């Protein structure tokens, strides 16, 4: 798994660093595991952009293409900022 | 202590010239910066030329608030024809051909850029030990860290090597070093200051902030650099300026929320004592203290790590040694050779979090957590005007201390990441010193675009608190 990650990241780590970085990244992943305890408890999750849209000037309108992307993302995965999903 | 407003008066009444002030700061840099390593690039000739132009403006009685004011810029903010390295081998020789919008606005007022300050590489870190150009040392004890990632900016202001400095704050990178270096640091509401020209770390979290000797000084700088920018679609028209407009607002009747989770997390006796004295200060001035709850804050560091690493892995993918940055002879090794360990770790974590099998578990969960935090803050701000917290878990630790394990490394951000994730404004100011005379800071968090209010509250506290100066 770590080797695959290195390739995706465009990193070629030599042997001296390899074990240290693999260990430290594993520790970081362990830090993330607490997220599995988190259960969303708000029936209507406020999308991050709507937090600002309450206050944003209505004159700022995204282009139609951008709004299509945003409306699609709202219905699918509710994320505010699009980051390409790596498959 | 010299402040921006005092210097403005001295300059405008010609008691001192812009060139004299600039030379004075340049001499301080020559004398003391070898002890703290706060600057990567010092622009001596450029700053003296700018000071000369500034003085001509002052002589014509056409000065603006920032005219002739000596300022340092964090080295991940682009400055035209001045090296911008991000403290990385990857950009060691990078010279931009344009200014960041915030820099452009300062130069339009003829502010004097003294140089570019040191940072954790690409803004990744909270101790400023992750710099290709060496660690920044704390002016209060040069064996200790300055905090990060804007450690150079904070240390330069604390050591009087700049009057004010720009930093960038992603998860606490202005507030935390400000607390550890005994100065004031503000992260404005997300969308207040344009990110155009900032080398991106995590685009949904990055925000230019200000390191200063006082909340008022921070407000002066913010008044110059805020505003909508066509080149940054995340800037907001709701950032309306006038950040000094609420100075001298009475504290009486102010409703201050203290999250019980933050209070219960304090492990340092010195920080607890200082923070409780801050609460007493506001009580004694007839503010109302309200216990509130931010239950999702305990997941804040995990969510911040996931989101920031995911965005960093995307933002740093352009540094491939072909389009941008260092190119090794064996170009496959460009990224491995030029990135430091912390940057590599975050890129790897980011790609892990975005992979198909982990996307829902970590990345989506982090955004759900982010939304929950926003909702919880909304509930708190229905009954409170502001929220108080300590800024850091510990005071400045020794540089390269052994046993610097992960859970200690990232836990310094525990109080600052929640405001970052929710896009809220937060200011840190000094409230005490530990038994080793190292500074302690506390933070005031406000509602979106309520930056002027938190500046005024910090200013009020600062008027009643006497700071100790570092001795270099």
């Amino acid at each position: 798994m770590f080797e695959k990650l290195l390739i995706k990241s465009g990193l070629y780590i030599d042997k001296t660093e390899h074990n240290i970085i693999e260990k430290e990244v594993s520790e970081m992943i362990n830090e993330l595991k607490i997220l599995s305890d988190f259960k969303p408890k708000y029936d209507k999750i406020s999308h991050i952009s709507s937090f600002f849209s309450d206050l944003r000037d209505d004159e700022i309108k995204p282009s139609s293409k951008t709004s299509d992307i945003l409306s699609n993302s709202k219905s699918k995965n509710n994320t505010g900022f699009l980051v390409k999903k790596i498959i | 202590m010299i402040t921006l407003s005092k210097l403005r008066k001295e300059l405008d009444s010609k008691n001192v010239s812009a060139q004299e002030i600039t030379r004075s700061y340049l001499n301080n840099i020559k004398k003391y910066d070898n002890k703290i390593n706060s600057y990567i690039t010092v622009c001596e000739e450029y700053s003296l030329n700018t000071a000369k132009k500034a003085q001509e403006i002052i002589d014509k009685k056409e000065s603006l608030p920032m005219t002739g004011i000596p300022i340092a810029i964090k080295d991940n903010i682009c400055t035209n024809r001045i090296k911008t390295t991000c403290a990385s081998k990857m950009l060691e020789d990078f010279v931009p051909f344009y200014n960041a919008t915030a820099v452009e606005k300062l130069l339009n007022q003829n502010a004097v850029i003294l140089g570019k300050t040191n940072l954790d590489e690409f803004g990744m870190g909270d101790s400023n030990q992750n710099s290709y150009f060496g660690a920044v040392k704390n002016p209060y004890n040069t064996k200790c860290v300055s905090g990060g990632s804007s450690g150079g900016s904070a240390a330069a202001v604390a050591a009087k090597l700049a009057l004010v400095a720009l930093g960038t704050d992603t998860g606490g990178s202005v507030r935390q070093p400000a607390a550890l270096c005994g100065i004031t640091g503000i992260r404005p509401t997300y969308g207040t200051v344009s990110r155009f020209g900032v080398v991106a770390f995590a685009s949904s979290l990055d925000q230019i902030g200000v390191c200063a000797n006082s909340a008022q000084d921070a407000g002066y700088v913010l008044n110059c650099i805020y505003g909508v920018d066509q080149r940054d679609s995340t800037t907001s028209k709701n950032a309306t300026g006038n950040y000094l407009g609420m100075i001298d607002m009475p504290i009486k009747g102010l409703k201050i929320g203290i999250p019980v989770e933050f209070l219960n997390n304090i492990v340092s006796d010195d920080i607890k004592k200082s923070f409780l004295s801050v609460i007493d200060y506001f009580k004694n001035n007839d503010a109302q203290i309200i216990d509130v709850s931010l239950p999702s804050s305990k997941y804040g560091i995990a969510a911040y790590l996931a989101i920031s690493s995911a965005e960093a892995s995307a933002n740093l993918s352009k540094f491939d040694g072909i389009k941008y940055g260092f190119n090794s002879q064996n170009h496959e090794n460009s990224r491995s050779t030029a990135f430091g360990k912390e940057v590599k770790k975050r890129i790897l974590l980011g790609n892990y979090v975005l992979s198909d099998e982990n996307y829902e578990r970590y990345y989506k969960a982090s955004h759900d957590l982010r939304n929950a935090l926003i909702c919880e803050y909304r509930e708190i701000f229905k009954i409170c005007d502001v929220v108080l917290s300590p800024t850091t878990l510990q005071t400045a630790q020794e540089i390269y201390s052994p046993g610097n394990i992960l859970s200690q490394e990232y836990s310094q951000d525990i109080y600052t990441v929640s405001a970052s994730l929710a896009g809220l404004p937060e200011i840190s100011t000094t409230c005490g010193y530990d038994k080793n005379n190292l500074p302690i800071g506390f933070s005031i968090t406000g509602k979106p675009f309520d930056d002027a209010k938190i500046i005024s509250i910090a200013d009020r506290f600062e008027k009643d608190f006497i700071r100790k100066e570092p001795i270099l």
Side-chain angles (χ1 to χ4, degrees):
Chain A
M1 191 265 298
F2 189 67
E3 302 308 322
K4 218 168 141 186
L5 264 185
L6 286 172
I7 294 168
K8 281 180 188 173
S9 306
L11 294 170
Y12 296 89
I13 296 180
D14 65 34
K15 283 177 191 166
T16 48
E17 261 196 323
H18 189 284
N19 290 342
I20 298 168
I21 290 188
E22 186 176 7
K23 179 172 176 279
E24 292 186 12
V25 171
S26 301
E27 285 168 357
M28 290 167 94
I29 292 168
N30 277 337
E31 287 283 313
L32 302 185
K33 286 181 178 165
I34 193 177
L35 287 168
S36 58
D37 295 339
F38 170 72
K39 302 283 177 272
K41 53 182 180 284
Y42 293 91
D43 292 334
K44 235 180 178 180
I45 293 175
S46 291
H47 191 282
I48 187 170
S49 66
S50 75
F51 188 59
F52 289 100
S53 70
D54 292 350
L55 309 165
R56 276 192 188 279
D57 191 329
D58 285 337
E59 286 173 16
I60 299 175
K61 285 183 170 52
S63 67
S64 56
K65 194 174 175 188
T66 312
S67 63
D68 284 343
I69 295 168
L70 286 173
S71 62
N72 281 340
S73 78
K74 271 188 189 175
S75 60
K76 279 180 189 163
N77 61 19
N78 216 20
T79 51
F81 291 88
L82 295 173
V83 180
K84 188 177 172 185
K85 189 169 158 181
I86 296 175
I87 297 171
Chain B
M1 181 183 70
I2 185 79
T3 61
L4 208 152
S5 57
K6 279 184 200 161
L7 182 57
R8 175 83 273 127
K9 282 185 190 137
E10 293 294 301
L11 284 167
D12 290 341
S13 52
K14 308 227 184 123
N15 291 336
V16 72
S17 70
Q19 294 100 312
E20 279 169 340
I21 284 292
T22 301
R23 253 183 240 110
S24 162
Y25 275 99
L26 289 170
N27 287 339
N28 276 354
I29 293 169
K30 279 181 193 154
K31 202 170 167 188
Y32 297 116
D33 198 46
N34 58 343
K35 293 182 186 176
I36 61 171
N37 197 31
S38 63
Y39 278 87
I40 292 175
T41 304
V42 179
C43 311
E44 183 165 352
E45 193 181 327
Y46 173 83
S47 61
L48 287 168
N49 287 340
T50 318
K52 190 176 169 207
K53 277 188 212 153
Q55 190 57 44
E56 287 165 12
I57 306 283
I58 293 167
D59 290 342
K60 286 189 224 168
K61 295 196 190 326
E62 291 174 358
S63 65
L64 294 168
M66 294 299 296
T67 305
I69 300 295
I71 184 163
I73 309 288
K74 187 177 179 182
D75 206 18
N76 63 347
I77 301 173
C78 286
T79 40
N80 187 22
R81 290 185 285 173
I82 303 171
K83 260 202 295 188
T84 299
T85 68
C86 298
S88 178
K89 186 179 173 67
M90 180 58 78
L91 293 179
E92 188 179 6
D93 297 314
F94 172 59
V95 181
F97 55 85
Y98 65 101
N99 286 314
T101 299
V103 171
E104 197 65 42
K105 289 184 176 191
L106 287 164
L107 291 176
N108 286 344
Q109 291 200 16
N110 296 102
V112 176
I113 296 176
L114 294 168
K116 306 298 293 295
T117 52
N118 205 345
L119 63 152
D120 278 305
E121 189 181 1
F122 284 104
M124 299 181 196
D126 60 5
S127 62
N128 221 133
Q129 297 183 94
N130 299 322
S131 167
Y132 179 61
F133 298 98
V136 176
K137 286 115 188 195
N138 195 307
Y140 284 83
N141 182 340
T142 53
K143 291 186 183 144
C144 294
V145 299
S146 60
S149 62
S150 306
S153 292
V157 171
K160 298 185 185 22
L161 308 188
L163 184 61
V164 288
L166 291 193
T168 60
D169 190 305
T170 305
S173 291
V174 162
R175 295 160 281 162
Q176 191 251 53
L180 299 193
C181 289
I183 60 162
T184 304
I186 185 168
R187 174 201 164 88
T189 308
Y190 185 85
T192 298
V193 183
S194 172
R195 289 177 300 109
F196 178 78
V198 175
V199 178
F201 162 14
S203 310
S204 76
L205 295 162
D206 292 340
Q207 186 63 189
I208 287 182
V210 183
C211 294
N213 283 308
S214 67
Q216 281 204 33
D217 283 5
Y220 270 109
V221 179
L222 217 50
N223 274 341
C224 176
I225 62 175
Y226 85 98
V228 168
D229 183 9
Q230 296 299 320
R231 296 170 293 187
D232 177 2
S233 60
T234 62
T235 49
S236 173
K237 284 191 181 180
N238 290 296
T240 49
N242 195 18
Y243 294 107
L244 298 172
M246 296 180 83
I247 294 291
D248 294 328
M249 172 193 84
I251 297 181
K252 185 176 180 178
L254 190 69
K255 293 180 187 137
I256 298 177
I258 312 281
V260 295
E261 293 83 5
F262 287 172
L263 206 50
N264 294 340
N265 267 334
I266 303 176
V267 293
S268 156
D269 289 335
D270 291 326
I271 290 181
K272 188 167 197 167
K273 190 175 155 198
S274 285
F275 187 61
L276 291 175
S277 72
V278 169
I279 296 174
D280 285 338
Y281 169 84
F282 284 108
K283 272 188 197 165
N284 294 339
N285 283 279
D286 299 321
Q288 193 185 345
I289 304 296
I290 304 170
D291 285 339
V292 296
S293 180
L294 208 49
S296 297
S297 60
K298 74 175 182 181
Y299 306 102
I301 290 179
Y304 166 76
L305 264 183
I307 292 173
S308 66
S309 299
E311 294 182 13
S313 68
N315 282 324
L316 268 65
S317 63
K318 60 176 164 278
F319 300 116
D320 55 13
I322 303 172
K323 298 187 293 296
Y324 270 108
F326 173 83
N327 185 299
S328 77
Q329 284 188 348
N330 178 358
H331 113 84
E332 280 182 343
N333 290 336
S334 296
R335 285 162 66 84
S336 309
T337 308
F339 285 144
K341 189 172 82 160
E342 186 64 29
V343 171
K344 287 177 195 167
K345 280 161 55 180
R346 305 254 186 146
I347 290 172
L348 288 163
L349 184 71
N351 281 310
Y352 176 83
V353 151
L354 289 172
S355 62
D356 194 39
E357 57 269 25
N358 296 307
Y359 185 92
E360 297 274 333
R361 196 186 336 173
Y362 298 126
Y363 188 68
K364 184 179 177 306
S366 297
H367 277 281
D368 290 341
L369 184 281
R370 189 173 200 174
N371 291 333
L373 269 174
I374 290 170
C375 292
E376 286 168 16
Y377 269 116
R378 266 191 172 157
E379 291 305 306
I380 289 172
F381 285 131
K382 283 179 185 170
I383 55 169
C384 298
D385 296 308
V386 295
V387 165
L388 286 195
S389 64
T391 306
T392 59
L393 203 60
Q394 299 169 308
T395 52
Q397 300 298 292
E398 278 191 13
I399 291 176
Y400 301 117
S401 47
N404 199 4
I405 59 171
L406 174 76
S407 59
Q408 290 168 5
E409 239 178 85
Y410 298 110
S411 61
Q412 274 284 51
D413 297 335
I414 192 167
Y415 296 118
T416 51
V417 291
S418 297
S420 291
L421 287 165
L424 298 173
E426 192 168 89
I427 188 168
S428 171
T429 188
T430 308
C431 62
Y433 300 86
D434 73 1
K435 53 184 169 299
N436 299 316
N437 268 329
L438 290 167
I440 296 169
F442 81 100
S443 289
I444 306 165
T445 313
K447 300 176 192 177
F449 304 107
D450 229 3
D451 306 56
K453 183 176 278 179
I454 62 171
I455 287 172
S456 76
I457 297 168
D459 172 68
R460 173 62 197 273
F461 181 86
E462 286 169 1
K463 280 170 175 152
D464 291 329
F465 179 80
I466 299 169
R467 284 185 185 170
K468 296 180 191 177
E469 304 273 314
I471 301 166
L472 278 173

